[in-house]
Amino acid sequence: MKLKSLIMIMLGAAMLGGCCSVCKQRTKNAKPLEGTVWHLIQIEGRDVALEAGTFDIALDGGKLSGIGACNRLMGSYTVEPKLGIRFGALASTRMMCPNVDMESQLAAVLESATHYDIDYDILMIMQDGTIKAMFRAVEPAAEN
């Protein structure tokens, strides 16, 4: 019986070790927070399929820029220790278009964010441990 328990413990440890190497590889190959264009794919637990070129944000040097449904978005952010992040109030242009309400929802989510995490090409924006929005890295357009 002790041998069976020992084998199970060793098997479990080997599986965890393999998982950790996969996790390390995903983290190593993660897209950088800054200098990447991020496209919204989920907000408040709801998957969204949005047109390319809309609901994209980019973070660089403490400045957020992007586009919502049709309005330009701009604001500031600070990265804090242990994957903490704080966004300042977001500003935007004021054109009316479909999904403009989601722009307001996105601004509220970002302004309430406390943390983020990146899993390869997915950026998760969290508030106190709960994922509030998810973005996928957008591949840069090919130059002609």
Side-chain angles (χ1 to χ4, degrees):
M1 190 60 145
K2 288 182 182 180
L3 180 60
K4 186 176 178 181
S5 296
L6 181 61
I7 291 172
M8 293 302 287
I9 290 170
M10 290 174 63
L11 182 59
M15 287 174 51
L16 283 175
C19 177
C20 290
S21 66
V22 169
C23 293
K24 287 177 186 173
Q25 187 67 24
R26 291 188 68 79
T27 301
K28 178 182 173 189
N29 293 329
K31 300 291 184 183
L33 176 66
E34 295 183 318
T36 301
V37 175
W38 298 101
H39 180 72
L40 183 66
I41 59 170
Q42 187 183 89
I43 189 161
E44 299 281 352
R46 183 174 48 98
D47 291 341
V48 293
L50 300 164
E51 188 177 319
T54 65
F55 290 92
D56 290 348
I57 63 169
L59 307 172
D60 193 30
K63 303 283 185 205
L64 175 143
S65 62
I67 187 145
C70 64
N71 291 297
R72 297 256 174 234
L73 307 173
M74 61 224 70
S76 63
Y77 69 94
T78 55
V79 175
E80 300 174 346
K82 297 184 181 180
L83 300 176
I85 194 164
R86 299 285 179 182
F87 291 91
L90 265 62
S92 72
T93 54
R94 298 283 184 188
M95 297 187 303
M96 290 301 296
C97 53
N99 289 330
V100 75
D101 291 341
M102 194 180 299
E103 287 181 3
S104 299
Q105 185 181 16
L106 177 59
V109 163
L110 292 174
E111 290 170 6
S112 68
T114 58
H115 290 82
Y116 75 95
D117 198 2
I118 299 174
D119 185 1
Y120 186 60
D121 68 342
I122 302 294
L123 168 64
M124 294 162 277
I125 299 293
M126 295 174 270
Q127 178 186 14
D128 300 322
T130 300
I131 297 173
K132 303 302 265 179
M134 292 175 60
F135 296 82
R136 175 169 279 123
V138 176
E139 291 301 321
E143 299 279 332
N144 287 336

